[in-house]
Amino acid sequence: MKRSEVDRTKLSPMMQQYMEIKDKYEDSIIFFRLGDFYEMFFDDAILTSRILELTLTGKQAGLEEKVPMCGIPHHAYASYVDELIDKGYKVAICEQLEDPKETKGMVKRDVIQVVTKGTRIDSNIDSKSNNYIANIYDYSYCFGISYADISTGEVYATLVEGESDKVIKEIVRNGFKEVIVNDTIDREIVENLRTNHDILVTITKEELEDSDYNYIYKDIEDERIIKTIKHLLFYIIDTKKGDLHHLQPCKIIKSSMYLEFDVNTKKNLELVETLRNRERQYSLLWLLDKCKTAMGSRYLKNTILNPLTDRKEIERRYDLVSLLSTEFILRDDLIKSLDNVYDLERLVGRVTYGNLNAKDLLQLKNSLKELPKIKTILQGLKFNKKIETFEEVYSLLERTILEDAPFSIHEGHLIKEGYNEELDELKKISSGSKDFILEMEKTEKERTGIKNLKVGFNKVFGYYIEVSKGQCNLVKEEYGYERKQTLANCERFITPVLKEKENIILGAEEKIISLEYKLFMDIREVIKRYVQSLQKTAKIISEIDMLQAFSVVSDTYKFVRPEITKDKTLKLIECRHPVVEQVMKDKYIPNDIVMDKTTNILLITGPNMAGKSTYMRQCAITVIMAQIGCFVPCKSATMPIFDKIFTRIGASDDLVSGESTFMIEMKEANYAISEATENSLILFDELGRGTATYDGMSLAQAILEHIHDKIKAKTMFSTHYHELTILEKNLKQLKNVHVSALEEKGKVIFLHKVKQGAVDKSYGIHVASLAKLPKSLIERADEILNIYEKKNIKKETFTQTSLFELSEAETEPKINPIEEKLEEVNPLEMTPMEALSFLYELKKDIKDQK
């Protein structure tokens, strides 16, 4: 049965209430609270039961046929929500807004929040990654992008000029899981994000007009960015329906502030996850993340994805990393303190939004306890940013929250003794009454002589006196016992005195729970006043945590401080790939990467599996490490500050869009060529291999010439087209290098050492042999190769303007014999018969030639 097919006039009042709420949240699965369960109905029930493997049942709703229904316990809903969110659905949590015990008729219900991929604020999200929600505002001539992490309060915005491809690249590069777009946007962008990148996209034109949140954008002058932010804020606030004043003033992102690279470079270099398994382990982030706090890990990840271009700031980080390595005792003390600091950013978010518990406040207290020590250490390091220590907040939490408080804030046992007189008095009454119950059990046993009599309690009947069946005959009328419940093996009684004490105990406990909840919320309100200061301190701790990680990693793996140069000299001596070095079992072979002021292009040749791709990757990774402020895996390093990195490493068809390897190669090459500047770094690995040999070789040469003559960017270009190595003669800024290999007794040994000059052999068949292809197949391939090599005429002439110049014999014009005959005769001097005879002979010659 579908919701749209139902006659609503026949529905029960509760189901009518559900239908009205569902009408407002058509695109969400409604978790509808009924007592101790969340129930789903109609299409939501059918969908949810299938995804979550729940039993699909039915519910009477005033109709002849039961409506589809499934349900989950309200206390265990989080894991079910997680699974639905991960699969791209939205979940609207609909709660009872009134206590059913105190309400006559229908209990009020409404949605208290909508949970989506990008708006989660609970503790189940990845602690080491930001969870951004973004929006795109299409202005027809440019795009506004803003994004926020609701769990930490960070808000950013930028403008993107150019075609729609550029805005899609920006969204994908940042890994946004959910995107809001305005209603006039090009629908191809929406379809691309949904289909090709599995991003949850919502279309809405609404903008926030609530002045309570204008502090987020009040210092921004560009009206386009303000409009973009307000568009995102409306969706966030409408979705979360709570206090979000922990959202911070928006930071404007300018592309010139950071080293730019696209999602392909991020993937190819395996910066935050590996290409094969898409896991954090064995990525650059995995290697560098020796952070002690979740905040530090998030800060590090963002820094890796957004390296700096500000030389002054980069050098400041170098100084601090160097100082932390020198002052290793202070660094060890810092590490110990950071180890006890919880996720301040997200704790503060939960304080503001209101979804915190006593455990959160205990984590906040334990974190604040470390701040005075950290402050002293930072002063010793002459760190240029100061943190607050929040002694008054720590003191409040120390005096109030019980160390063994439960997760729930609705069950009491939250507040320490001595904080509130009324609460202490109520606890004494409750405690005294409970003592009375124990004393009563002892007295009644003595008074009645019933040895197994006991006083018990349950939520249904309250306090009772229980007597076994075998001793019920000992209960006399004068005892004043009133039978309350008969069970198989016992009888339960109450007395006026017991009932009176029950009212006192239960009344006190109810008041205790109510008062403790109120006091807890009052404490939360006090802490809310410190939110902005706590966020600033959290950001400083994040940075120092990242820098201590750089220091530890640099000491452990023998990284060195780079020298930043103003000229275009790139000189990495004995450079290593930092991740490969730690993962591989054999000793890593370091290599020099040198491109001085007279060299812009390294043309890299050498056999497969010799290490050309690794050689190129380690250059880019070293540059990124240097520009995030970390020391680098070299014996010495001199480098300029790069503005952009472009890579084309590895081949993979884009099956979704139906584009071939070669098309992707050409698109990425075009992107690099059109966007690169002389301050960029370009890495092209075997560009042109996706098409026919001569086509690929011609394109490779043309691209190299274009980069050399027009862009002048530092470029590493690996190739199997050995004919290209002759370009060194004509392209003055190009140098040949090769990864060496040794051939012994028909076997190839990879030396993994990069040397000057070129090679002219690929060892492809040797590599196939190493891959354990059948011996007969290898021998046959060798025979075929010999045939091709004998047929091939080596071309020694190779210039910038043509790929292959023909030999003198090949360039000599060959005259056709028929043409020679035609040259010898004059048709005007021939009789008709002679002309006919001559034509017959020509036709015979042509036939013979065929």
Side-chain angles (χ1 to χ4, degrees), residues 130 132 147-156 246-249 251 298-299 302 345 535 539:
N130 280 100
Y132 289 121
Y147 52 100
D149 183 339
I150 302 173
S151 67
T152 65
E154 297 160 277
V155 182
Y156 302 93
H246 67 289
L247 292 175
Q248 301 168 37
K251 293 181 181 176
R298 286 196 301 272
Y299 192 86
N302 283 333
E345 285 181 321
Q535 286 175 327
K539 194 58 73 180

Side-chain angles (χ1 to χ4, degrees), residues 275-317:
L275 263 173
R276 179 175 293 179
N277 300 324
R278 300 195 68 180
E279 291 178 353
R280 197 171 185 271
Q281 190 174 20
Y282 305 133
S283 65
L284 178 63
L285 175 61
W286 164 79
L287 183 84
L288 298 182
D289 191 1
K290 300 296 183 282
C291 297
K292 293 298 175 181
T293 69
M295 301 178 291
S297 294
R298 286 196 301 272
Y299 192 86
L300 170 61
K301 184 176 180 180
N302 283 333
T303 302
I304 289 173
L305 295 177
N306 298 281
L308 303 173
T309 55
D310 182 344
R311 177 175 178 170
K312 188 177 177 182
E313 179 61 18
I314 294 170
E315 296 279 10
R316 183 187 76 85
R317 289 184 181 178

Side-chain angles (χ1 to χ4, degrees), residues 672-715:
I673 287 165
S674 57
E675 297 289 331
T677 72
E678 63 177 348
N679 296 317
S680 300
L681 176 65
I682 300 174
L683 308 178
F684 281 158
D685 188 18
E686 298 181 31
L687 196 67
R689 63 184 164 183
T691 187
T693 303
Y694 291 163
D695 282 354
M697 208 182 301
S698 305
L699 283 163
Q701 179 179 344
I703 288 168
L704 280 167
E705 290 171 2
H706 184 88
I707 293 171
H708 181 276
D709 297 338
K710 297 183 179 178
I711 301 174
K712 301 180 174 21
K714 295 293 185 190
T715 304

Side-chain angles (χ1 to χ4, degrees), residues 236-363:
I236 291 173
I237 290 160
D238 184 58
T239 298
K240 298 314 291 177
K241 301 184 185 299
D243 186 352
L244 295 173
H245 281 89
H246 67 289
L247 292 175
Q248 301 168 37
C250 180
K251 293 181 181 176
I252 304 299
I253 301 296
K254 294 179 181 175
S255 58
S256 60
M257 295 161 58
Y258 302 104
L259 171 63
E260 292 183 64
F261 48 80
D262 66 4
V263 69
N264 295 309
T265 299
K266 173 181 160 183
K267 286 180 182 175
N268 290 334
L269 298 180
E270 298 184 307
L271 296 180
V272 296
E273 63 181 22
T274 55
L275 263 173
R276 179 175 293 179
N277 300 324
R278 300 195 68 180
E279 291 178 353
R280 197 171 185 271
Q281 190 174 20
Y282 305 133
S283 65
L284 178 63
L285 175 61
W286 164 79
L287 183 84
L288 298 182
D289 191 1
K290 300 296 183 282
C291 297
K292 293 298 175 181
T293 69
M295 301 178 291
S297 294
R298 286 196 301 272
Y299 192 86
L300 170 61
K301 184 176 180 180
N302 283 333
T303 302
I304 289 173
L305 295 177
N306 298 281
L308 303 173
T309 55
D310 182 344
R311 177 175 178 170
K312 188 177 177 182
E313 179 61 18
I314 294 170
E315 296 279 10
R316 183 187 76 85
R317 289 184 181 178
Y318 290 163
D319 291 342
L320 284 162
V321 172
S322 183
L323 186 58
L324 282 162
S325 294
T326 305
E327 301 285 351
F328 54 87
I329 295 175
L330 278 178
R331 183 183 72 187
D332 289 347
D333 291 341
L334 176 65
I335 289 170
K336 285 174 188 173
S337 286
L338 289 172
D339 220 6
N340 296 317
V341 175
Y342 291 86
D343 197 338
L344 282 176
E345 285 181 321
R346 285 185 171 163
L347 286 172
V348 166
R350 291 204 283 276
V351 166
T352 306
Y353 187 64
N355 63 329
L356 81 162
N357 55 40
K359 300 292 185 188
D360 293 327
L361 290 188
L362 289 171
Q363 289 184 358

Side-chain angles (χ1 to χ4, degrees), residues 259 570 618-627 639 642 645 681:
L259 171 63
L570 177 67
Q618 72 192 41
C619 175
I621 285 175
T622 301
V623 166
I624 287 170
M625 288 175 67
Q627 291 189 215
M639 63 182 73
F642 290 94
I645 294 179
L681 176 65

Side-chain angles (χ1 to χ4, degrees), residues 13-63:
M14 186 279 291
M15 192 53 69
Q16 285 181 358
Q17 184 188 51
Y18 168 82
M19 298 289 263
E20 288 169 8
I21 292 170
K22 178 64 180 174
D23 288 343
K24 300 175 190 174
Y25 298 93
E26 291 279 0
D27 63 344
S28 302
I29 295 170
I30 304 283
F31 274 30
F32 192 76
R33 181 71 176 270
L34 286 174
D36 289 336
F37 284 82
Y38 286 114
E39 306 285 6
M40 284 67 76
F41 301 105
F42 296 104
D43 296 343
D44 284 359
I46 295 167
L47 175 67
T48 307
S49 64
R50 189 179 72 246
I51 295 170
L52 302 179
E53 298 181 0
L54 302 173
T55 301
L56 184 66
T57 61
K59 184 176 180 67
Q60 290 291 353
L63 305 172

